[in-house]
C-alpha cells in the first residue's frame, strides 16, 4: 500500500513539474485595459488578456513569428513589440488589428518581404527602426492604404535610397518622418510629396559626402516643415542655395551639428529659425548668420571660432542683428571674452559658458551691462575664485539662475562677497574649504530670495562604501548657532542639496536643519557621513518636507529621529548606505509615502512584518543581496505598482517559490528586468528566476501533501471518466439502449412503426445537406417508375416529435437494405455514423450483405472512417457521375444492388464477431473525425 502511495506522490510531482515548466509568468494589468507583458520570456502572443485591452507591451521577449490572427482583442490600439526576435509578420496577424493606432516593431530581425502592414487603416504611429528594413520594403508601396499615419520611424536600417512611390498614401497625413542612421547618399525627392510633413530627421546619413549639400527644389512643397535634423551628415560645403527651397519658412529647429563645413556662405541669410544647432562644426565666423532671426543658438565645441582662447568681437558680429535670446558657448576653451564681443546681444535671456577656462578677470565689467533681460547664466566648470565677478554687477538684479559648479571657489571668499543677487532663485556651487555655517549665513544675505540651493564639496571616495570618505582641503567644521540671527534665514527656500560636507557630530547636523528647514519641501543630504552612531533628539519638525534623500551616508540603522519629524514625506531615498534591515515600525508611520528607494544597501532579508502604506506605489531594493522575498510582505503593500529587486542574491528555496506564486497571481506590479533575475541552489549553480521550477510538493507538510494527492487523484479520475464518457457518448447511449432491448424485449416503450416486415426496400442514410439530390434525382429515378422501389427517407417517413435514435433503429429494421449516400458532410455527421453502425449490426444479424454504399461526392482518404474504408476494400462504392453514359450505368448498378435477394453468407463467423465488437465498442464518433 505504501509503495503504491509513494508511486502516486512521485507521479503527482512529475505532473507538477511539467505544469510549472510550461507555465509562463502572467502579464500585469493596469487600469483594466493596459497589459504590461515586457521581459516575460514569452515566445508566442498571449491569449489570456482581458477582452477590452487597448495597450499591450511585449518588449524584451523572445517572440519569433506573428503568423496567427488575434481576433480576441478587438479594442487593441497600442502594441509594443520592441526588442524581440521577430522575423515574420503575416497578413492574417495584421488584418486582425483593425483598431490599432500605435505599432512598435523596432530592434527585431525583419526585412521587406516579411512585413505586411497595408491593412492598418487606422494606424497613427509606426516604428520599424533597427529591424533590417531595406528598399525592397518600400518598393511594394506598403503605405498606400494607411491614410491616417502621421509618424513613421525607420532609423538605423539598411536603406541607401528611397524608391519612387515609397510614400504613396501618406501625402495627406504624415507629419513626422525619421530616416536617420541609414546609408542614404542622395536626399530623396519623394519626401517633397509629403505636404503635411512637420518633422524630418535625416541625421547620420552621408548626404554631403559626394558633393555640395543642397535641398531638392521640390522641397518648396513642404510648407508645414518646422523641424529639420541634418546632424552628422558629412556636409563639407554649404552654398547660398543649399536651403533655398525652405528659406521662406519659419523653421522651429534646424540641426546641423557635427558636420564639417567651415562657413555658412549665406545659406541661411533670409531664414527665420527659432533654434539653430551648430555644435561641433568647423565654422570660424558667424558672418553667415548676419540678419538671420534666431532665438536659440548652440555653438558648443566650435573651437575654430576661438583663437588663442579669446572670444573676439569680430567673430560674434554676425549675431548682432539676430534678436538672439539664448546662446551656448560651452566646450570652446575660452579663456578671455574680448571687450564688446557680447555687447550687441541685447535680447539675451540665457548664456552658457560651461567647460571653458574663464576666471574673475576674463570678462570685462561692462560686458553684460546691455543685457537687461539676462536671467540664466551657467559658468559650470571654469576657474572662477569668488562670487565678486565684476561682470555680474550690472545684471545682479535680473539673474534668476546662476551655476558655478566645478570652479575654484572657497568658503572664506564667498563670505566676503560684496555683490547682492536680489532676485536670484536658483544657485549651484562647488566649494572647497567649507565652513558651512558662515557660507549659509553669507548666501542668505547675498541671495535673500533664493528658492533652490545646491552646494557640493569635492570628496575623495574610499573603495569600501561603508568607510567614511574624506573631504578635499576641508576646514574643521564649526557649530551652528554661534551667530545671532537678525531674521528667519532662507524665508523662501524650497529645495536644498548638500553633498560632500563632513558633519562633525549630531549637534551640528541638528543646527543645520534648524537653519534651513523652515520652508523646505525637498532636501538632499548626499555623502555627508551621517553616521548611525549619531543620536538626533532636537530635530525640527519639517512639516512641509515631501522629498528626503540621505543617499551615500554610511548609515547602517534607519534614522528614526528624522523620519518621525517628516511625517508628510512622499519620497524617501536611502540608497547607497549600509542598512542591514528595514525598520517597519518607522516606515509604517509615513502614511503619505509614495516611493521608497533602498537600493545598494546590505539588506539580506525582508521580514514578514506587514505595514499598510496605502499610497506607496514604488519600492526599489536593487543590489542588496536579498536572499528571498516574503510574499506576505509584498502583498501587504496594497497600492504597489513598481518593485525593483534586481541584482540580488536569491536562493532557490520554498520562499522563492512562494514569491513566484505571488508573481503568478499579481496583475498590477511591474518588475523591471525580470527576465534577468537569478537564483542559486549553491555557490556554483545558478539559474534564471523564470526558469526555476522546483517541485511544489516539497514546500508543503506531509498532511497537506496527502490531502493534495487525494484531491488531485480524485479530480483526475473523475475528469478521465468524464472525458471518456463524452468522447464515446453515442456508443454509451447505444449500448444502454441495446442492453435494454436484450434484457426486456417484450417491454419496449415504443410500438413498431410498421407491422409488416421489410415494408421498405431501402433505408436512405444521408446528410441533411444532400436532401436536394435525393428529392430531385434519387426519388424520381427509383420511386416514380413502372416498377417502383420503396424508399425510407428520414425527412419524409420519420414521425414528427419521435425519438431519433429509436426511429433510426426501427426503420432500418423495417427496411430490406440500407443505402449510404456518401459525401464529406456524411462522415462529419454524428447521426449518419450511428446509422452506419446500426446498418452494420442489421447486416450481421441477417447474415446478408444489406449495405449499398453510393459515393455522391469525393471523400479524401484521410477523412474516410475505418469502417467505410473496409467496406470500400471489400466491395467498392457505386459512384455518381454527371456523364450521360455514366448515369445509365449508375442507375443500372444501383437498381441491381437493391433488387438482389441473394442470401449467401459472405462473412465467416470470426468476421461477424469481429465486426460486431467494433460496432458496439470501438466505432465511436471520434473515429469519424
Amino acid at each position: 500500500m505504501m509503495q503504491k502511495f509513494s508511486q502516486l506522490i512521485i507521479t503527482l510531482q512529475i505532473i507538477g513539474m511539467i505544469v510549472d515548466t510550461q507555465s509562463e509568468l502572467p502579464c500585469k494589468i493596469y487600469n483594466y485595459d493596459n497589459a504590461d507583458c515586457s521581459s516575460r520570456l514569452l515566445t508566442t502572443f498571449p491569449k489570456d488578456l482581458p477582452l477590452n485591452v487597448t495597450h499591450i507591451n511585449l518588449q524584451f521577449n523572445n517572440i519569433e513569428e506573428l503568423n496567427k490572427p488575434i481576433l480576441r482583442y478587438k479594442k487593441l490600439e497600442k502594441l509594443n513589440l520592441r526588442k524581440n526576435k521577430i522575423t515574420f509578420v503575416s497578413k492574417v496577424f495584421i488584418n486582425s488589428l483593425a483598431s490599432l493606432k500605435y505599432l512598435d516593431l523596432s530592434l527585431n530581425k525583419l526585412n521587406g518581404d516579411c512585413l505586411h502592414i497595408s491593412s492598418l487603416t487606422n494606424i497613427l504611429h509606426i516604428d520599424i527602426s533597427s529591424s533590417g528594413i531595406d528598399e525592397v520594403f518600400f518598393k511594394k508601396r506598403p503605405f498606400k492604404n494607411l491614410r491616417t499615419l502621421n509618424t513613421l520611424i525607420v532609423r538605423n536600417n539598411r536603406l541607401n535610397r528611397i524608391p519612387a512611390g515609397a510614400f504613396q498614401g501618406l501625402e495627406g497625413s504624415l507629419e513626422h518622418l525619421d530616416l536617420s542612421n541609414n546609408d542614404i547618399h542622395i536626399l530623396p525627392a519623394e519626401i517633397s510629396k509629403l505636404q503635411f510633413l512637420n518633422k524630418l530627421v535625416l541625421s547620420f546619413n552621408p548626404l554631403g559626402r559626394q558633393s555640395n549639400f543642397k535641398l531638392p527644389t521640390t522641397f518648396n512643397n513642404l510648407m508645414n516643415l518646422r523641424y529639420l535634423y541634418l546632424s552628422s551628415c558629412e556636409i563639407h560645403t554649404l552654398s547660398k542655395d543649399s536651403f533655398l527651397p525652405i528659406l521662406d519658412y519659419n523653421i522651429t529647429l534646424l540641426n546641423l551639428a557635427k558636420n564639417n563645413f567651415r562657413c555658412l556662405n549665406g545659406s541661411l541669410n533670409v531664414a527665420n529659425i527659432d533654434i539653430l544647432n551648430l555644435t561641433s562644426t568647423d565654422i570660424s565666423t558667424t558672418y553667415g548668420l548676419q540678419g538671420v532671426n534666431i532665438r536659440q543658438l548652440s555653438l558648443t565645441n566650435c573651437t575654430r571660432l576661438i583663437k588663442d582662447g579669446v572670444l573676439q568681437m569680430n567673430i560674434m558680429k554676425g549675431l548682432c542683428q539676430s534678436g538672439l535670446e539664448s546662446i551656448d558657448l560651452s566646450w570652446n576653451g575660452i579663456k578671455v571674452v574680448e571687450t564688446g564681443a557680447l555687447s550687441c546681444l541685447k535680447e539675451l535671456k540665457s548664456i552658457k559658458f560651461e567647460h571653458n577656462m574663464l576666471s574673475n578677470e576674463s570678462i570685462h565689467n561692462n560686458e553684460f551691462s546691455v543685457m537687461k533681460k539676462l536671467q540664466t547664466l551657467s559658468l559650470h566648470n571654469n576657474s572662477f575664485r569668488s562670487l565678486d565677478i565684476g561682470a555680474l554687477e550690472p545684471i545682479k538684479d535680473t539673474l534668476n539662475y546662476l551655476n558655478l559648479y566645478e570652479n575654484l571657489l572657497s568658503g572664506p571668499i564667498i563670505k566676503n562677497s560684496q555683490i547682492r543677487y536680489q532676485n536670484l532663485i536658483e544657485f549651484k556651487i562647488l566649494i572647497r574649504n567649507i565652513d558651512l555655517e558662515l557660507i549659509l549665513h553669507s548666501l542668505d544675505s547675498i541671495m535673500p530670495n533664493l528658492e533652490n540651493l545646491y552646494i557640493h564639496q569635492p570628496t575623495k571616495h574610499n573603495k569600501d562604501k561603508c568607510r567614511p570618505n574624506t573631504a578635499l582641503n576641508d576646514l574643521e567644521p564649526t557649530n551652528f548657532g554661534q551667530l545671532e540671527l537678525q531674521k528667519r534665514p532662507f524665508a523662501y527656500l524650497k529645495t536644498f542639496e548638500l553633498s560632500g560636507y563632513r558633519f562633525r557630530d549630531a549637534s551640528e547636523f541638528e543646527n543645520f536643519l534648524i537653519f534651513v528647514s523652515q520652508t523646505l519641501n525637498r532636501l538632499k543630504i548626499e555623502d555627508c557621513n551621517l553616521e548611525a552612531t549619531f543620536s538626533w533628539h532636537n530635530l525640527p519638525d519639517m512639516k512641509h518636507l515631501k522629498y528626503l534623500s540621505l543617499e551615500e551616508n554610511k548609515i547602517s540603522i534607519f534614522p528614526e529621529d528624522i523620519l518621525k519629524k517628516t511625517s508628510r514625506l512622499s519620497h524617501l531615498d536611502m540608497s547607497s548606505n549600509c542598512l542591514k534591515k528595514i525598520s517597519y515600525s518607522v516606515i509604517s508611520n509615513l502614511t503619505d509615502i509614495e516611493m521608497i528607494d533602498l537600493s545598494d544597501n546590505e539588506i539580506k532579508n525582508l521580514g514578514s512584518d506587514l505595514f499598510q502604506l496605502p499610497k506607496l506605489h514604488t519600492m526599489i531594493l536593487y543590489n542588496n543581496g536579498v536572499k528571498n522575498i516574503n510574499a506576505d510582505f509584498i502583498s501587504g503593500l496594497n497600492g504597489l505598482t513598481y518593485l525593483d529587486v534586481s541584482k540580488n542574491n536569491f536562493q532557490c528555496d520554498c520562499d522563492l517559490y512562494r514569491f513566484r506564486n505571488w508573481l503568478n497571481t499579481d496583475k498590477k506590479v511591474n518588475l523591471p528586468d525580470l527576465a534577468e533575475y537569478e537564483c542559486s541552489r549553491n555557490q556554483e549553480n545558478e539559474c534564471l528566476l523564470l526558469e526555476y521550477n522546483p517541485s511544489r510538493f516539497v514546500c508543503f507538510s506531509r498532511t497537506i501533501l496527502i490531502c493534495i494527492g487525494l484531491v488531485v487523484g480524485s479530480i483526475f479520475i473523475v475528469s478521465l471518466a468524464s472525458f471518456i464518457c463524452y468522447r464515446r457518448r453515442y456508443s454509451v447511449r447505444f449500448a444502454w439502449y441495446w442492453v435494454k432491448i436484450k434484457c426486456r424485449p417484450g417491454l419496449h416503450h415504443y410500438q413498431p412503426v410498421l407491422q409488416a416486415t421489410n415494408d421498405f426496400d431501402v433505408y436512405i442514410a444521408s446528410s441533411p445537406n444532400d436532401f436536394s439530390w435525393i428529392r430531385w434525382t434519387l426519388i424520381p429515378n427509383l420511386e416514380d417508375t413502372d416498377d417502383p422501389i420503396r424508399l425510407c427517407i428520414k425527412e419524409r417517413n420519420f414521425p414528427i416529435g419521435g425519438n431519433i435514435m429509436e426511429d433510426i433503429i426501427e426503420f432500418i429494421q423495417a427496411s430490406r437494405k440500407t443505402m449510404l449516400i456518401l459525401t464529406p458532410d456524411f462522415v462529419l455527421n454524428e447521426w449518419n455514423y450511428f446509422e452506419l453502425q446500426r446498418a452494420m449490426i442489421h447486416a450481421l444479424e441477417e447474415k446478408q450483405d444489406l449495405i449499398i454504399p453510393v459515393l455522391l461526392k469525393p471523400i479524401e482518404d484521410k477523412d474516410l472512417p475505418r469502417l467505410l474504408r473496409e467496406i470500400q476494400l471489400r466491395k467498392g462504392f457505386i459512384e455518381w457521375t454527371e456523364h450521360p453514359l455514366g448515369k445509365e450505368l449508375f442507375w443500372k448498378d444501383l437498381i441491381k444492388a437493391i433488387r438482389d435477394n441473394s442470401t449467401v453468407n459472405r462473412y465467416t463467423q470470426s468476421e461477424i464477431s469481429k465486426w460486431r465488437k467494433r460496432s458496439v465498442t470501438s466505432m465511436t464518433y471520434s473515429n469519424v473525425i
Side-chain angles (χ1 to χ4, degrees):
M1 182 66 182
M2 288 300 296
Q3 184 178 2
K4 292 183 178 180
F5 179 75
S6 300
Q7 292 176 351
L8 174 62
I9 295 300
I10 293 173
T11 303
L12 292 176
Q13 288 180 346
I14 294 173
I15 294 173
M17 293 178 67
I18 293 173
V19 172
D20 279 349
T21 302
Q22 294 178 343
S23 63
E24 292 178 327
L25 216 60
C27 303
K28 306 300 179 183
I29 309 300
Y30 304 98
N31 300 325
Y32 304 102
D33 61 356
N34 191 341
D36 183 4
C37 307
S38 59
S39 302
R40 289 295 192 277
L41 298 181
L42 298 176
T43 57
T44 58
F45 203 93
K47 300 178 181 179
D48 56 350
L49 302 179
L51 294 178
N52 64 334
V53 67
T54 60
H55 293 58
I56 301 179
N57 183 1
L58 283 165
Q59 62 180 343
F60 303 109
N61 281 290
N62 298 323
I63 300 173
E64 295 184 0
E65 290 188 350
L66 298 170
N67 52 14
K68 296 180 180 179
I70 51 171
L71 301 174
R72 174 182 175 87
Y73 310 126
K74 296 182 179 180
K75 297 182 179 181
L76 185 61
E77 295 182 357
K78 184 174 182 180
L79 178 58
N80 187 348
L81 290 160
R82 177 181 174 85
K83 195 65 185 299
N84 276 269
K85 299 178 181 178
I86 300 173
T87 58
F88 180 76
V89 182
S90 68
K91 291 182 179 180
V92 293
F93 175 81
I94 293 297
N95 291 343
S96 64
L97 304 175
S99 301
L100 199 66
K101 296 181 179 179
Y102 177 102
L103 177 62
D104 189 344
L105 285 166
S106 58
L107 293 169
N108 281 285
K109 300 178 181 179
L110 298 167
N111 58 56
D113 294 327
C114 299
L115 179 61
H116 309 278
I117 58 175
S118 58
S119 61
L120 298 176
T121 54
N122 292 312
I123 197 74
L124 299 176
H125 179 111
I126 294 179
D127 188 345
I128 49 176
S129 56
S130 303
S131 294
I133 299 297
D134 54 20
E135 62 181 276
V136 174
F137 173 70
F138 286 90
K139 285 182 178 180
K140 297 187 298 183
R141 302 185 179 182
F143 311 110
K144 60 183 178 181
N145 297 325
L146 311 188
R147 306 289 181 180
T148 60
L149 185 66
N150 59 34
T151 300
L152 177 61
I153 313 295
V154 202
R155 62 171 171 265
N156 196 25
N157 278 289
R158 298 184 296 176
L159 296 172
N160 49 43
R161 72 183 190 92
I162 304 296
F167 302 115
Q168 181 181 349
L170 304 180
E171 296 85 354
S173 63
L174 197 64
E175 299 179 4
H176 178 188
L177 176 61
D178 188 344
L179 295 170
S180 59
N181 289 82
N182 281 282
D183 194 30
I184 301 174
H185 293 73
I186 301 175
L187 201 59
E190 286 295 313
I191 296 176
S192 62
K193 299 177 182 179
L194 305 173
Q195 55 183 335
F196 288 95
L197 194 63
N198 179 266
K199 183 177 181 179
L200 176 60
V201 184
L202 294 166
S203 302
F204 295 94
N205 282 290
L207 296 172
R209 179 184 297 176
Q210 297 178 349
S211 60
N212 295 345
F213 176 79
K214 183 178 180 181
L215 292 178
T217 56
T218 53
F219 268 47
N220 55 19
N221 296 326
L222 303 179
M223 302 294 293
N224 294 289
L225 188 64
R226 295 294 178 267
Y227 299 87
L228 180 58
Y229 294 80
L230 293 166
S231 60
S232 300
C233 286
E234 302 184 26
I235 299 175
H236 298 280
T237 306
L238 293 175
S239 60
K240 289 185 177 180
D241 55 354
S242 290
F243 298 99
L244 185 62
I246 65 170
L247 288 181
D248 293 333
Y249 302 164
N250 293 318
I251 300 296
T252 300
L253 184 147
L254 178 58
N255 189 342
L256 296 171
K258 298 181 181 180
N259 283 291
N260 303 321
F261 53 84
R262 295 196 173 187
C263 60
L264 297 171
N265 290 329
S267 58
L268 301 173
N269 58 1
V270 293
N272 295 317
I273 305 172
D274 274 358
I275 304 172
L276 177 61
N277 189 348
L278 298 174
T279 296
S280 300
T281 56
D282 291 337
I283 62 171
S284 56
T285 179
T286 61
Y287 277 116
L289 299 173
Q290 192 169 8
V292 181
N293 185 17
I294 303 173
R295 188 168 59 87
Q296 298 181 32
L297 174 64
S298 176
L299 295 173
T300 301
N301 196 30
C302 295
T303 53
R304 288 183 176 270
L305 280 173
I306 312 303
K307 297 180 179 179
D308 299 324
V310 179
L311 180 61
Q312 299 178 357
M313 180 174 61
N314 61 342
I315 295 296
M316 304 301 291
K317 277 187 177 180
L319 303 175
C320 289
Q321 299 177 6
S322 63
L324 200 63
E325 296 182 5
S326 175
I327 188 170
D328 190 344
L329 291 164
S330 305
W331 295 95
N332 280 304
I334 302 174
K335 298 178 182 178
V336 177
V337 178
E338 186 178 74
T339 303
L342 303 173
S343 59
C344 64
L345 303 178
K346 300 179 181 180
E347 301 297 321
L348 268 186
K349 296 180 180 179
S350 172
I351 186 168
K352 292 183 179 180
F353 279 109
E354 298 177 359
H355 296 274
N356 284 290
M357 293 180 282
L358 297 171
S359 63
N360 287 59
E361 297 80 19
S362 297
I363 307 175
H364 190 268
N365 290 352
N366 295 322
E367 193 63 30
F368 298 140
S369 59
V370 298
M371 302 179 188
K372 305 298 183 182
K373 300 179 181 179
L374 191 64
Q375 298 177 354
T376 300
L377 178 61
S378 181
L379 302 172
H380 178 86
N381 202 332
N382 279 276
S383 301
F384 291 96
R385 300 183 303 277
S386 74
L387 279 175
D388 284 330
I389 304 172
L392 302 186
E393 178 71 31
I395 58 172
K396 62 181 182 180
D397 293 332
T398 63
L399 273 185
N400 289 334
Y401 173 90
L402 178 60
N403 186 348
L404 283 168
Y405 257 27
E406 301 291 341
N407 279 278
L408 303 176
L409 282 74
S410 61
I413 297 177
I414 291 179
K415 182 185 69 171
N416 299 322
S417 177
Q418 301 299 313
I419 303 177
R420 287 175 57 86
Y421 299 89
Q422 193 68 31
N423 295 309
L424 199 66
I425 294 175
E426 186 168 332
F427 182 53
K428 294 184 176 182
I429 190 170
L430 180 144
I431 315 174
R432 298 173 184 269
N433 303 322
I434 290 183
D435 184 337
L436 188 59
E437 178 188 13
L438 295 177
I439 288 173
L440 292 179
H441 276 283
S442 300
L443 293 179
D444 181 40
S445 60
I446 295 171
M447 307 168 184
N449 294 304
L450 203 62
E451 294 183 6
N452 305 309
L453 175 60
Y454 306 84
I455 299 178
H456 175 61
Q457 174 173 265
T459 306
K460 182 179 180 180
H461 288 267
N462 291 312
K463 294 183 179 179
D464 185 355
K465 72 171 187 176
C466 290
R467 288 181 57 192
N469 295 327
T470 305
L472 300 179
N473 304 321
D474 194 12
L475 294 177
E476 182 67 22
T478 59
N479 283 322
F480 279 84
Q482 293 180 353
L483 300 178
E484 293 185 4
L485 303 179
Q486 300 298 323
K487 65 178 184 64
R488 188 175 70 177
F490 293 118
Y492 304 101
L493 194 64
K494 303 296 183 185
T495 300
F496 183 63
E497 294 188 8
L498 175 65
S499 61
Y501 180 70
R502 297 293 165 264
F503 287 102
R504 185 177 63 179
D505 53 27
S507 177
E508 183 183 15
F509 182 64
E510 290 173 352
N511 288 322
F512 158 73
L513 288 182
I514 293 173
F515 192 85
V516 300
S517 65
Q518 302 296 324
T519 57
L520 278 183
N521 56 35
R522 181 183 177 93
L523 176 62
K524 183 175 182 179
I525 309 296
E526 178 184 355
D527 189 19
C528 292
N529 280 358
L530 298 179
E531 299 178 7
T533 55
F534 289 179
S535 178
W536 302 299
H537 300 292
N538 301 314
L539 293 174
D541 186 3
M542 292 174 277
K543 57 184 178 180
H544 300 292
L545 198 65
K546 298 292 184 181
Y547 178 98
L548 174 62
S549 174
L550 300 175
E551 179 182 350
E552 199 174 345
N553 276 295
K554 325 300 178 188
I555 298 174
S556 58
I557 301 176
F558 248 87
E560 298 185 10
D561 297 312
I562 295 179
L563 298 181
K564 288 179 180 178
K565 299 291 185 177
T566 56
S567 57
R568 297 186 180 180
L569 273 185
S570 60
H571 289 70
L572 174 62
D573 187 349
M574 295 293 298
S575 60
S576 300
N577 280 288
C578 305
L579 296 172
K580 298 183 184 299
K581 65 178 182 178
I582 301 175
S583 179
Y584 303 104
S585 60
V586 175
I587 294 182
S588 61
N589 294 324
L590 303 176
T591 55
D592 292 332
I593 197 73
E594 297 177 3
M595 189 278 286
I596 298 177
D597 187 350
L598 298 172
S599 59
D600 199 20
N601 277 280
E602 298 178 359
I603 301 171
K604 304 296 183 184
N605 296 294
L606 298 177
S608 58
D609 310 61
L610 302 182
F611 49 88
Q612 299 296 325
L613 299 174
K615 296 183 180 180
L616 182 66
H617 57 72
T618 300
M619 195 166 196
I620 303 174
L621 290 160
Y622 170 90
N623 192 25
N624 267 279
V626 175
K627 295 183 179 180
N628 58 69
I629 299 179
N630 191 297
D632 295 332
F633 163 80
I634 298 299
S635 60
L637 307 175
N638 297 324
L640 198 67
T641 59
Y642 183 94
L643 174 65
D644 188 350
V645 288
S646 54
K647 300 295 181 182
N648 281 288
N649 301 324
F650 294 121
Q651 297 295 319
C652 301
D653 54 18
C654 289
D655 286 325
L656 185 67
Y657 173 71
R658 295 186 184 97
F659 174 60
R660 282 206 58 189
N661 280 346
W662 174 79
L663 290 179
N664 283 318
T665 56
D666 179 76
K667 296 291 185 181
K668 61 178 181 176
V669 179
N670 180 28
L671 283 86
D673 302 322
L674 179 60
E676 300 177 5
Y677 287 12
E678 294 181 347
C679 71
S680 59
R681 297 183 179 89
N682 51 57
Q683 294 182 351
E684 298 179 355
N685 191 2
E686 293 186 351
C687 68
L688 293 176
L689 173 61
L690 296 183
E691 296 177 354
Y692 173 55
N693 293 291
S695 172
R696 66 182 67 185
F697 301 100
V698 300
C699 296
F700 294 102
S701 67
R702 184 179 182 86
T703 303
I704 296 177
L705 187 62
I706 293 174
C707 293
I708 291 177
L710 293 175
V711 171
V712 172
S714 301
I715 294 174
F716 176 76
I717 293 172
V718 172
S719 300
L720 182 61
S722 301
F723 174 76
I724 293 173
C725 290
Y726 176 77
R727 290 295 302 271
R728 299 178 177 270
R729 58 192 182 277
Y730 301 109
S731 294
V732 172
R733 290 169 60 187
F734 175 73
W736 170 247
Y737 188 73
W738 182 262
V739 169
K740 204 165 59 169
I741 292 176
K742 293 297 183 182
C743 292
R744 297 193 299 172
L747 297 176
H748 300 313
H749 63 276
Y750 63 89
Q751 295 297 325
V753 177
L754 296 170
Q755 300 299 324
T757 305
N758 295 338
D759 290 88
F760 296 100
D761 290 316
V762 182
Y763 175 87
I764 307 298
S766 65
S767 168
N769 296 333
D770 302 318
F771 179 70
S772 177
W773 183 81
I774 295 171
R775 172 67 181 86
W776 301 108
T777 304
L778 188 65
I779 293 176
N781 284 277
L782 295 183
E783 286 190 342
D784 301 340
T785 62
D786 295 337
D787 187 11
I789 295 174
R790 295 165 296 173
L791 303 179
C792 177
I793 301 171
K794 294 190 292 288
E795 290 81 359
R796 181 183 67 183
N797 298 99
F798 277 25
I800 298 175
N803 185 298
I804 186 169
M805 180 178 287
E806 296 175 356
D807 291 341
I808 288 174
I809 295 173
E810 194 62 38
F811 277 94
I812 288 178
Q813 199 72 25
S815 301
R816 194 163 53 82
K817 292 190 177 184
T818 299
M819 183 187 300
L820 308 177
I821 309 299
L822 301 179
T823 63
D825 292 331
F826 180 94
V827 299
L828 295 176
N829 189 294
E830 57 190 42
W831 289 114
N832 289 152
Y833 195 77
F834 181 74
E835 290 172 322
L836 176 58
Q837 286 182 321
R838 187 59 225 175
M840 178 58 66
I841 292 174
H842 185 212
L844 293 174
E845 290 176 342
E846 299 295 331
K847 297 184 180 182
Q848 294 187 24
D849 186 3
L850 304 181
I851 297 177
I852 305 173
V854 175
L855 185 64
L856 180 61
K857 297 178 182 178
I859 303 174
E860 294 186 12
D861 289 343
K862 65 181 181 65
D863 296 329
L864 200 64
R866 182 170 52 186
L867 182 56
L868 284 177
R869 188 176 292 112
E870 291 183 8
I871 293 175
Q872 180 188 28
L873 294 175
R874 186 175 294 274
K875 60 185 297 183
F877 297 156
I878 302 176
E879 297 186 20
W880 167 256
T881 178
E882 295 293 340
H883 194 278
L885 294 178
K887 287 182 180 180
E888 291 182 9
L889 292 175
F890 172 82
W891 294 117
K892 180 179 179 181
D893 291 343
L894 182 60
I895 293 172
K896 180 180 179 181
I898 294 172
R899 296 191 183 283
D900 184 9
N901 293 321
S902 174
T903 59
V904 176
N905 184 11
R906 300 187 182 184
Y907 307 107
T908 65
Q909 190 62 38
S910 61
E911 287 178 327
I912 293 173
S913 300
K914 178 181 175 183
W915 282 37
R916 184 184 297 277
K917 182 178 179 182
R918 287 184 183 176
S919 298
V920 174
T921 61
S922 302
M923 299 176 188
T924 65
Y925 180 59
S926 61
N927 296 117
V928 180
I929 304 174

